[in-house]
Amino acid sequence: MTSTRTGLVAAIALCAVTITAGLALSRVFADGSFALPVVLAAVLPHGIGFIARRRRWRDGTTVLVTLVAILLFVAWLFAPHTTAYGAPLPGTFRHLADQLDTGWHIFRTGIAPVAADDGVVLLCVVITAVAATVADGVAFRADATIGALVPSLLLFVFASMLGTKDLRTMTTLAYIVSALVFLMLANQALLERRRAWATGRRLGSHAAVINVGALVGGIALAAGLIVGPALPGAHDG
């Protein structure tokens, strides 16, 4: 029971990392109407991944179910008029492809902040869903805790490169704090799963080192982002 609870908490923490990376796109859009679809796109793969682990699905089954769920989600949200009783049709794929092409064109040629049109939001939803799917598999299938942060980091960098300077400090702090929390929780979950072949003493020591390191890193980051700008001369040329 403890291991299951710890795994659930770690999965929620990773989901929070993906959400904070997705919400960094607030620097790209002129309003917040993109937020709910992006948040749902982050939650869906992580939720399916947790259910798959509980039911011991094969990797291929998990990926297939996740892809179908994402397809249905974007079809119902962005092209409901092209479906038949909720099922995608050939016209659904053409409509979504056209929207993705439009969204990519806006990202390449537009200047932030851009309007939250369907094509742009659809592109962000797809990118977020893919990042969540890959991160969940890397974290809990391959047991690569740090590697699981790479997809969300790429999403965060994508938003930072295209976005304005507004909310830069807030989004950066939110992302890195959530990442540090995930590292601590995922490390604890991994150690509990391996407790059968490692000694309790080594597990506790290893967990303490990583947890303390993540905590110190979080405090240092917060101090740099919050206290630094308030220091005399911080805004001088």
mmCIF file of all heavy atoms in Angstrom, residues 14 133-149 151:
data_model
loop_
_atom_site.group_PDB
_atom_site.id
_atom_site.type_symbol
_atom_site.label_atom_id
_atom_site.label_comp_id
_atom_site.label_asym_id
_atom_site.label_seq_id
_atom_site.Cartn_x
_atom_site.Cartn_y
_atom_site.Cartn_z
ATOM 1 N N LEU A 14 5.078 14.383 -11.219
ATOM 2 C CA LEU A 14 5.545 14.488 -12.601
ATOM 3 C C LEU A 14 4.502 15.173 -13.473
ATOM 4 O O LEU A 14 4.839 15.969 -14.354
ATOM 5 C CB LEU A 14 5.875 13.103 -13.164
ATOM 6 C CG LEU A 14 6.429 13.090 -14.596
ATOM 7 C CD1 LEU A 14 7.693 13.931 -14.698
ATOM 8 C CD2 LEU A 14 6.704 11.662 -15.052
ATOM 9 N N THR A 133 3.555 11.940 -22.336
ATOM 10 C CA THR A 133 3.633 10.510 -22.635
ATOM 11 C C THR A 133 5.067 9.997 -22.504
ATOM 12 O O THR A 133 5.328 8.963 -21.874
ATOM 13 C CB THR A 133 3.106 10.233 -24.052
ATOM 14 O OG1 THR A 133 1.760 10.695 -24.158
ATOM 15 C CG2 THR A 133 3.152 8.739 -24.367
ATOM 16 N N VAL A 134 6.002 10.721 -23.114
ATOM 17 C CA VAL A 134 7.398 10.303 -23.064
ATOM 18 C C VAL A 134 7.929 10.371 -21.640
ATOM 19 O O VAL A 134 8.609 9.450 -21.162
ATOM 20 C CB VAL A 134 8.250 11.174 -24.004
ATOM 21 C CG1 VAL A 134 9.733 10.831 -23.862
ATOM 22 C CG2 VAL A 134 7.800 10.989 -25.455
ATOM 23 N N ALA A 135 7.630 11.455 -20.937
ATOM 24 C CA ALA A 135 8.127 11.622 -19.573
ATOM 25 C C ALA A 135 7.616 10.519 -18.656
ATOM 26 O O ALA A 135 8.374 9.969 -17.840
ATOM 27 C CB ALA A 135 7.712 12.986 -19.033
ATOM 28 N N ASP A 136 6.351 10.165 -18.784
ATOM 29 C CA ASP A 136 5.779 9.132 -17.924
ATOM 30 C C ASP A 136 6.438 7.786 -18.177
ATOM 31 O O ASP A 136 6.753 7.052 -17.239
ATOM 32 C CB ASP A 136 4.269 9.033 -18.170
ATOM 33 C CG ASP A 136 3.551 8.357 -17.022
ATOM 34 O OD1 ASP A 136 3.214 9.034 -16.044
ATOM 35 O OD2 ASP A 136 3.334 7.127 -17.096
ATOM 36 N N GLY A 137 6.665 7.465 -19.439
ATOM 37 C CA GLY A 137 7.316 6.200 -19.761
ATOM 38 C C GLY A 137 8.743 6.147 -19.287
ATOM 39 O O GLY A 137 9.207 5.132 -18.736
ATOM 40 N N VAL A 138 9.486 7.237 -19.469
ATOM 41 C CA VAL A 138 10.878 7.272 -19.049
ATOM 42 C C VAL A 138 10.991 7.177 -17.534
ATOM 43 O O VAL A 138 11.864 6.489 -16.998
ATOM 44 C CB VAL A 138 11.556 8.555 -19.565
ATOM 45 C CG1 VAL A 138 12.944 8.718 -18.960
ATOM 46 C CG2 VAL A 138 11.653 8.538 -21.092
ATOM 47 N N ALA A 139 10.092 7.851 -16.827
ATOM 48 C CA ALA A 139 10.166 7.893 -15.368
ATOM 49 C C ALA A 139 9.808 6.562 -14.731
ATOM 50 O O ALA A 139 10.517 6.075 -13.839
ATOM 51 C CB ALA A 139 9.255 8.993 -14.833
ATOM 52 N N PHE A 140 8.717 5.953 -15.197
ATOM 53 C CA PHE A 140 8.166 4.814 -14.467
ATOM 54 C C PHE A 140 8.312 3.476 -15.181
ATOM 55 O O PHE A 140 8.064 2.429 -14.589
ATOM 56 C CB PHE A 140 6.688 5.072 -14.158
ATOM 57 C CG PHE A 140 6.480 6.321 -13.350
ATOM 58 C CD1 PHE A 140 5.877 7.435 -13.917
ATOM 59 C CD2 PHE A 140 6.902 6.389 -12.039
ATOM 60 C CE1 PHE A 140 5.691 8.594 -13.181
ATOM 61 C CE2 PHE A 140 6.718 7.541 -11.289
ATOM 62 C CZ PHE A 140 6.112 8.650 -11.866
ATOM 63 N N ARG A 141 8.700 3.505 -16.446
ATOM 64 C CA ARG A 141 8.987 2.264 -17.162
ATOM 65 C C ARG A 141 10.489 2.009 -17.221
ATOM 66 O O ARG A 141 10.943 0.893 -17.029
ATOM 67 C CB ARG A 141 8.408 2.317 -18.578
ATOM 68 C CG ARG A 141 6.899 2.458 -18.631
ATOM 69 C CD ARG A 141 6.213 1.138 -18.371
ATOM 70 N NE ARG A 141 4.748 1.274 -18.452
ATOM 71 C CZ ARG A 141 3.913 0.246 -18.383
ATOM 72 N NH1 ARG A 141 4.381 -0.992 -18.261
ATOM 73 N NH2 ARG A 141 2.608 0.436 -18.440
ATOM 74 N N ALA A 142 11.236 3.079 -17.500
ATOM 75 C CA ALA A 142 12.693 2.945 -17.614
ATOM 76 C C ALA A 142 13.408 3.320 -16.320
ATOM 77 O O ALA A 142 14.632 3.181 -16.240
ATOM 78 C CB ALA A 142 13.210 3.820 -18.750
ATOM 79 N N ASP A 143 12.672 3.806 -15.332
ATOM 80 C CA ASP A 143 13.253 4.206 -14.043
ATOM 81 C C ASP A 143 14.367 5.236 -14.211
ATOM 82 O O ASP A 143 15.347 5.248 -13.470
ATOM 83 C CB ASP A 143 13.792 2.988 -13.275
ATOM 84 C CG ASP A 143 12.667 2.119 -12.718
ATOM 85 O OD1 ASP A 143 11.552 2.642 -12.549
ATOM 86 O OD2 ASP A 143 12.901 0.934 -12.475
ATOM 87 N N ALA A 144 14.224 6.115 -15.185
ATOM 88 C CA ALA A 144 15.207 7.180 -15.410
ATOM 89 C C ALA A 144 14.612 8.486 -14.891
ATOM 90 O O ALA A 144 13.993 9.248 -15.647
ATOM 91 C CB ALA A 144 15.560 7.285 -16.885
ATOM 92 N N THR A 145 14.811 8.731 -13.607
ATOM 93 C CA THR A 145 14.147 9.854 -12.955
ATOM 94 C C THR A 145 14.545 11.195 -13.565
ATOM 95 O O THR A 145 13.689 12.008 -13.914
ATOM 96 C CB THR A 145 14.468 9.853 -11.452
ATOM 97 O OG1 THR A 145 14.068 8.603 -10.891
ATOM 98 C CG2 THR A 145 13.729 10.969 -10.749
ATOM 99 N N ILE A 146 15.841 11.426 -13.697
ATOM 100 C CA ILE A 146 16.295 12.704 -14.246
ATOM 101 C C ILE A 146 15.931 12.810 -15.727
ATOM 102 O O ILE A 146 15.514 13.867 -16.210
ATOM 103 C CB ILE A 146 17.812 12.862 -14.035
ATOM 104 C CG1 ILE A 146 18.124 12.918 -12.533
ATOM 105 C CG2 ILE A 146 18.336 14.102 -14.738
ATOM 106 C CD1 ILE A 146 19.596 13.030 -12.210
ATOM 107 N N GLY A 147 16.059 11.707 -16.456
ATOM 108 C CA GLY A 147 15.700 11.718 -17.873
ATOM 109 C C GLY A 147 14.245 12.057 -18.110
ATOM 110 O O GLY A 147 13.885 12.583 -19.170
ATOM 111 N N ALA A 148 13.392 11.789 -17.120
ATOM 112 C CA ALA A 148 11.970 12.077 -17.266
ATOM 113 C C ALA A 148 11.682 13.570 -17.324
ATOM 114 O O ALA A 148 10.608 13.985 -17.772
ATOM 115 C CB ALA A 148 11.189 11.456 -16.105
ATOM 116 N N LEU A 149 12.641 14.380 -16.890
ATOM 117 C CA LEU A 149 12.447 15.834 -16.916
ATOM 118 C C LEU A 149 12.768 16.437 -18.286
ATOM 119 O O LEU A 149 12.393 17.582 -18.549
ATOM 120 C CB LEU A 149 13.320 16.497 -15.857
ATOM 121 C CG LEU A 149 12.992 16.166 -14.398
ATOM 122 C CD1 LEU A 149 13.983 16.853 -13.471
ATOM 123 C CD2 LEU A 149 11.564 16.573 -14.053
ATOM 124 N N PRO A 151 11.629 15.864 -21.467
ATOM 125 C CA PRO A 151 10.527 16.313 -22.326
ATOM 126 C C PRO A 151 9.890 17.618 -21.852
ATOM 127 O O PRO A 151 9.634 18.523 -22.664
ATOM 128 C CB PRO A 151 9.531 15.145 -22.251
ATOM 129 C CG PRO A 151 10.374 13.959 -21.919
ATOM 130 C CD PRO A 151 11.419 14.473 -21.000
#
